Amino acid sequence: MATTLAVAAQAQPPARHWAIVLHGGAGVIERASMNPETEAAYRASLTQATQAAAKILDRGGSSVDAVEAAIQILEDDPLFNAGRGAVFTAEGKNELDAAIMDGANLKAGAVAGVTRTRHPISLARAVMEKSPHVMLIGAGADAFAASVGLEQVDPSFFFTERRWQSLVKQLQKEGRPIPPRPAGAPPPPLVPVAEIESPDAHKFGTVGVVALDREGNIAAGTSTGGTQAKRWGRVGDSPIIGAGTYASNQSCALSATGTGEYFIRLTVAREVCALVQYKGLTLQQAADQIIHKELESLHGDGGLIAITPDGQLAWSFNTPGMFRAKLTEGGKLQIGIYNDEP
Ligand code: ASP
């Protein structure tokens, strides 16, 4: 009996363990500005999204499927700056960006300035799988989404009161004009603004997921409304392959969050993976070098999550907080918000 078992164990390659890392944005996220209910809501959302990805990976699903499923949940959750709950542009619009990349074949899809597609991450995936292109923008991207049957919504679907109030507050502070309340938005609430105003954390909330599946393939995805009060069709790092999103089985899969302009200039995602690929750094060393040395030297702010095909998991950020979670097959779910947590 013992001999038979030993032979069987030899014949089968060791089963690979799946793993996931998630972020829900980095920024000035501090205990003092977070009430217990809000904090619990964030933790519950991160748990739900992680579990959705875990379920897919556990039944042998692909890392790309896991990334898309978890991001869809976060896009629908008004707590996060992605899909419903996205921040507003200075003109009072929600313009959404997303990207996804498959580390197994370096295929990638990205969209920017989308206003009608419920799940920008699924649109990014459709660009990757159903178009000859890598990146589509604006009305054309939404038209492509409709043509492949992705759910289209009225732009007011993405409206949330607290993001609107947050925009108004910022524009007032900066002495900039306040745009009219968007068409289709619910009537303004009767409660004073102070009571529905969110902590500063709510300015943040880009979402990103990286995953490793049982086949040993890694993938990365990011979805965001960008930065609050952005203008002129501004696009950040999230949908830019190699800046905010990247995946290659040769090195790592990564999703970033923070002030996108710095992440674009540093090509953060590719840079971290290149350090792993060519310099032999561990994933954590590479991530910390880019965040704590390169990003800081430009006075940039933000963070990232990353994973390698051999199962290294990392996060790194230079802000007071980053919503984050990680889980490895057979392990315990780890969630963090503040920078004094492991
Ligand atoms: N990186 C995103 C952007 O610049 C924003 C964020 O992650 O908070 O669009």
Side-chain angles (χ1 to χ4, degrees):
M1 185 66 186
T3 329
T4 322
L5 272 179
V7 170
Q10 265 174 13
Q12 299 226 327
R16 288 181 194 255
H17 291 301
W18 54 257
I20 314 154
V21 194
L22 240 107
H23 74 74
V28 187
I29 303 162
E30 289 165 324
R31 279 197 181 78
S33 60
M34 183 85 76
N35 65 43
E37 296 77 38
T38 311
E39 186 178 319
Y42 273 107
R43 289 185 190 272
S45 281
L46 293 169
T47 303
Q48 194 201 348
T50 310
Q51 281 169 349
K55 213 166 138 191
I56 289 169
L57 295 168
D58 208 48
R59 56 167 194 250
S62 74
S63 51
V64 171
D65 282 346
V67 165
E68 182 187 10
I71 292 185
Q72 278 188 348
I73 288 174
L74 298 169
E75 284 177 339
D76 276 342
D77 189 330
L79 281 178
F80 297 96
N81 173 20
R84 170 178 267 166
V87 297
F88 286 91
T89 67
E91 290 78 36
K93 300 205 166 90
N94 302 113
E95 294 180 354
L96 313 170
D97 305 335
I100 194 163
M101 188 159 182
D102 184 344
N105 49 30
L106 299 187
K107 286 189 179 164
V111 291
V114 167
T115 60
R116 294 187 165 272
T117 302
R118 176 171 175 182
H119 289 298
I121 193 64
S122 302
L123 175 50
R125 183 172 183 175
V127 172
M128 173 170 84
E129 292 176 345
K130 298 180 178 162
S131 91
H133 306 301
V134 168
M135 189 171 202
L136 302 181
I137 61 162
D142 281 319
F144 172 70
S147 79
V148 295
L150 291 178
E151 185 177 350
Q152 300 295 286
V153 293
D154 186 83
S156 63
F157 171 86
F158 302 110
F159 179 95
T160 53
E161 190 62 41
R162 61 182 196 164
R163 294 289 190 199
W164 179 254
Q165 296 298 341
S166 180
L167 172 76
V168 170
K169 201 170 145 189
Q170 179 177 338
L171 294 176
Q172 270 166 352
K173 208 161 119 192
E174 294 171 2
R176 291 158 70 184
I178 315 282
R181 205 173 160 85
L190 299 171
V191 270
V193 168
E195 281 181 38
I196 59 162
E197 187 48 88
S198 57
D200 265 357
H202 295 170
K203 265 197 276 194
F204 310 99
T206 291
V207 304
V209 180
V210 294
L212 162 65
D213 61 31
R214 286 224 181 99
E215 300 286 310
N217 292 319
I218 53 175
T222 312
S223 184
T224 187
T227 47
Q228 178 166 283
K230 63 186 180 180
R231 286 188 279 182
W232 309 305
R234 180 263 187 196
V235 176
D237 60 314
S238 310
I240 297 185
I241 299 303
T245 306
Y246 186 76
S248 164
N249 280 5
Q250 301 300 313
S251 52
C252 72
L254 186 150
S255 170
T257 175
T259 306
E261 283 69 11
Y262 298 101
F263 286 75
I264 295 173
R265 290 158 63 196
L266 288 167
T267 57
V268 163
R270 179 58 202 150
E271 198 79 354
V272 170
C273 293
L275 288 175
V276 170
Q277 186 171 354
Y278 301 120
K279 280 203 133 184
L281 267 61
T282 67
L283 186 64
Q284 191 66 54
Q285 285 169 342
D288 286 342
Q289 172 154 338
I290 298 303
I291 293 297
H292 294 296
K293 294 210 177 102
E294 309 304 327
L295 183 66
E296 265 176 40
S297 73
L298 293 188
H299 307 290
D301 57 324
L304 60 84
I305 52 161
I307 200 164
T308 61
D310 65 5
Q312 296 177 62
L313 275 47
W315 52 48
S316 187
F317 54 101
N318 69 354
T319 47
M322 181 169 83
F323 298 108
R324 57 199 190 274
K326 65 179 163 195
L327 180 62
T328 302
E329 182 172 7
K332 213 172 145 271
L333 173 64
Q334 187 184 338
I335 292 185
I337 297 179
Y338 312 107
N339 64 5
D340 56 7
E341 293 173 282

